[in-house]
Every structure is written in structure tokens, then in C-alpha cells.
Amino acid sequence: MPFADLREFLNFLDERKELIHIERKVSPVHEIAAYIRKTSDRQGPALLFDNVAGSEMRVAGGLFATKRHLLLALGASDHRSAVEKVVESIGSPIEPALVSRTASSEIVHRGSDVDLSRLPVVTHSSRDAGPFITMGLAVTKDPETGKRNIGLYRLQVKGRNRLGIMAQQLQIQLGRAEARGKGLPVAIALGVSPELLIASQWKAPYGVDELGLSGRLLGRPVELAKAVTVDLEVPAHAEIVIEGTVLPGEREIEGPFGEFSGYYQPASPKPVIEVTAITHRKNPIYLAGLTGMPTTDNHILKQIPIEATYSRALRERFPGVQGVHFPACGGAAYLLVVSLKKTREREPRNIIAVALGMVGPKYVVVVDDDVDIYDLEKVLWAVCTRSQPGQDTLLLTEINGAPLDPSAPEPLCTGGMGIDATLPKNRPFPEMVTIPGLENVPDF
Ligand SMILES: Cc1cc2nc3c(=O)[nH]c(=O)nc-3n(C[C@H](O)[C@H](O)[C@H](O)COP(=O)(O)O)c2cc1C
Ligand SMILES: [Mn+2]
């Protein structure tokens, strides 16, 4: 179901009793995060904080405290069909369109009028260096090709007009800008519709604009409006937009921050954004999102788009791949489960090699398609009963892996392990236990 903006999605959740209003006054320092933690732990409702200490703005949070909300956002009945919807949508993008009317710049603050402290940016975990924006959709363009990119990257508030940014991919764009002695213009859209947030998590090839996927999920082009101080276009329906430039040649300590692995990532030097404008709607809603010990907004939002990414890539080479699962317990990053209708012996080992080669998971488990990949108990049953550690495992050392793995010997370095937990095709295997007439037992 398409949502024109964040408010429409919040109202939709409200009508379904999937959102509750928190009327009492709450602090953006730890308290809002604690509420989101609590609703995430019980897969509860999204939260709308009506009264936030120190800010005029309301705060929405826990939008993706449960997978239910993500499925509602995608109009999908279950996990598998949600992934398939994203897979199909990736194949038929609808490019964005430029409009002149914009809700996101009803109010404009620029120059000395810029003050990030007016935003109720949330401080999450106990050792975090300060408040971090976690659900800001960063829009940038490659300085050489002009191709747009969107992504969610954490932003540490460092002053009235200063943000630290931690972004893997931005390194390419920023490097190209710096090579020309320039900064990288950036616009951060806060409080956008779920279709944009979901599309931002697709691992699109470099140079492909994820807004095309957003458009397909919406069923119409995403409307973009000109930013006011940088040469970029921003989603016109955003609640708030922060504009600025990633400064060339500047690195400043950023972090620590409690990350999606469930551990703190220590402080280190990272790029800095100088903010040139903050625009917003009248009475904007600030969107907070939790990152930390699984399961949080971060994991739920990432999971289905990353599964769509791997599903497409693996199926291209191995048509027997039925589906893939990146469980939240693996950070929706480090552990991949693949469902396979096996055509020949050893095929799982090739799949494992390709999946590890894609730079992401460090554990890959391949199971037959009679095993429910979303039920980890059944996946581990298959591992325990259909694989032998000596014959059915594959081990690689020192390859590149997903970021922020606390056990990594050095950043982005990992080992890779695969388990072929499929039944052998070339020799008999004991028959599985079943009870006849199970389907005839009436409900009780
Ligand atoms: C809530 C949330 C926070 C995220 N924070 C970061 C971050 O701080 N840095 C980062 O590189 N990726 C972060 N990600 C993951 C990226 O947004 C994701 O990998 C995205 O696909 C990157 O797009 P890109 O490949 O176009 O850069 C976050 C994801 C979510 C859901
Ligand atoms: Mn991208």
C-alpha cells in the first residue's frame, strides 16, 4: 500500500491500533530510546511522543519495532512475499519527478539561523558520544557522473551546524569530490515515507539510484523538490531536510555509538558535514529509529531489502534458489540462510562461495526447500541432521566482510564459513518421521 508521506503511514498504523501516543513528557536523552527498546523487545506498537523535553517537535519512533509494520508498509501478507515484491520492483523502477510545491520547506532556516539543537535528536545507548540521527535519508550525487545515491547513515550532532557522518559508500563520492578539492553536497531528508526508507536499504550497484525502486513501491514517481542551499533534489514530502556539505579533507572524531551488532563501535576520525540550511514542515514530526542489540528498527528495515538483493544475485546463477534469510540475530548482515531445490551434488558449495564472495555474510547455511528458512529452530535441525562437519563445511580465512563486526581481526576483514545442510542426492538417506492423519485433527 503506497504512503504519500510519514504522516499517512502513522495514521494507517494508528487506525490499526499499531501506534500509541505517549503523552507524558519524555527526554530525548535515553528515555525515548528506552521506550523504543521496550516496544521492540515485545514486537509492540510504533510510538508517537507528543511532548518531548526541550523541543517543539513531536518524535515518532519504533516504526519498525516489529516486522508486522514493514509487511504493512509493503502491503505484503508474509515475509516471503514481501521479499518477492521487492525483487520484482527492483526490476521495474519508476524514476523520480521534479515538482515545485514542497511541504518539506514550508519553514526555512539558513546561515546563522541554523541550529541543530532545535531538533529532538535522540541519544540512544549509555556510551554513545551524544545525540545521533539514525533515520535520515542522505541524498548525494557522484561528483563525476552526477548519479544520485540515497542511504541511511548515522549522523552525530556536534554543534549548531555540524554533523559527523559514518557512511561506507560515501567514501567513493567524497574521495572524488576531494580529488577536485571540493566538498560533497548532501541533503538529509528526515521523516520520509516507508517506501523510501525500504528502498534505501537495497544494495544497489554503485551508480544506481534507489529512488527508482521507491517509485515502483509507491506506484508513482517520488516527487523531488530543489534544495534551497545545495544543488540537489530532496523528497518533497519529507518532514525535515538538513542541507550541507561534507567538508573536503576534514576528519574529526566520531562515536562511540551502540551499533547493530549489539556492541559499541569505538570512536574514530570520520568526515564532517557543515550544515547550510534546515527546512521543515509546519509542526514537523522527527523520526527516530533504534539501532543496537537485535532486534531493532535497524534490523527490520534492512532485512527484506538485503534479502531481495541476495535473492536476485544468487538466483541469476542458481535458479534452484527458492529464497534467502538474513536473520536479525546475525545483525541482518553476518548470517545467511539459503533455501535450495538442489539440482546436483555440491551445488550448495558453489552457492556458499558466491555468497561469501559478495562481501557480506560470514556464515552461510544452505538447506533444502522443505526447511522453513524463517524458522531458525528448523534450520539448525537441518544443520544437525543433514550435515557432517568434516565433509559439508567450507572455510575461508581473511576475506572482506560486512562492517562493524566486533570479532573482526581488523575492520572489514572476516573469515567465511559455509555449511551444506542439504540431503545427499547420490546416496540413500533415512526417511523423515511423519504421523499420518495430522491434517485431519480438528482445531482445539
Ligand atoms: C537505521 C539504519 C541505520 C544505518 N546506519 C548506517 C550508518 O551509519 N552507516 C552506514 O554506512 N550504513 C548504515 N546503514 C546501512 C545503509 O543505510 C545501507 O547499507 C544502505 O543500503 C547503504 O546504501 P548505499 O549502498 O547506497 O550507501 C543503516 C541502516 C539502517 C536501517
Ligand atoms: Mn546506493
Side-chain angles (χ1 to χ4, degrees), residues 37-200:
R37 179 78 263 171
K38 191 154 179 168
T39 195
S40 303
D41 288 345
R42 49 170 79 163
Q43 298 179 33
L47 306 172
L48 188 58
F49 300 92
D50 292 326
N51 187 355
V52 179
S55 180
E56 303 277 287
M57 300 180 189
R58 286 177 292 165
V59 173
L63 215 57
F64 303 108
T66 157
K67 189 158 66 183
R68 261 189 341 266
H69 295 173
L70 192 77
L71 298 185
L72 285 169
L74 284 166
S77 53
D78 58 24
H79 194 135
R80 184 178 295 276
S81 62
V83 177
E84 293 311 326
K85 178 166 183 177
V86 176
V87 168
E88 281 164 25
S89 303
I90 288 171
S92 54
I94 299 181
E95 296 313 318
L98 201 61
V99 296
S100 50
R101 267 192 66 241
T102 142
S104 59
S105 60
E106 282 174 334
I107 314 277
V108 177
H109 301 280
R110 43 176 125 203
S112 58
D113 192 25
V114 165
D115 187 0
L116 287 165
S117 74
R118 280 200 214 109
L119 304 182
V121 182
V122 170
T123 304
H124 300 88
S125 304
S126 37
R127 297 207 187 284
D128 283 5
F132 281 80
I133 297 169
T134 53
M135 296 284 253
L137 188 88
V139 180
T140 51
K141 283 186 178 170
D142 183 292
E144 282 171 23
T145 64
K147 301 269 192 211
R148 182 169 32 235
N149 187 62
I150 61 168
L152 301 184
Y153 313 113
R154 75 181 199 218
L155 301 153
Q156 182 185 345
V157 177
K158 298 181 140 206
R160 283 182 39 249
N161 65 347
R162 215 170 166 82
L163 293 164
I165 179 164
M166 208 264 318
Q168 288 295 320
Q169 163 122 322
L170 208 64
Q171 288 168 15
I172 304 175
Q173 294 183 343
L174 182 59
R176 290 182 177 174
E178 286 177 330
R180 300 160 174 229
K182 294 203 166 134
L184 184 73
V186 57
I188 296 137
L190 284 156
V192 292
S193 79
E195 286 85 353
L196 275 72
L197 294 172
I198 294 165
S200 80

Side-chain angles (χ1 to χ4, degrees), residues 33 36-37 40 62 124-125 134-135 288-292 295-299:
I36 304 177
R37 179 78 263 171
S40 303
H124 300 88
S125 304
T134 53
M135 296 284 253
L290 190 63
T291 290
T295 307
T296 67
D297 289 293
N298 182 310
H299 307 91

Side-chain angles (χ1 to χ4, degrees), residues 294-361:
T295 307
T296 67
D297 289 293
N298 182 310
H299 307 91
I300 288 175
L301 191 49
K302 277 193 307 205
Q303 185 177 54
I304 283 171
I306 198 184
E307 288 168 0
T309 307
Y310 276 74
S311 257
R312 283 179 88 233
L314 291 177
R315 267 186 215 159
E316 218 170 79
R317 297 169 183 83
F318 310 101
V321 169
Q322 303 298 301
V324 305
H325 184 208
F326 275 92
C329 63
Y334 306 124
L335 170 62
L336 167 64
V337 184
V338 179
S339 166
L340 177 69
K341 223 188 254 298
K342 190 162 89 171
T343 50
R344 13 155 88 188
E345 220 37 52
R346 302 189 186 81
E347 188 181 17
R349 298 169 75 89
N350 290 68
I351 292 175
I352 288 163
V354 170
L356 291 174
M358 284 175 68
V359 185

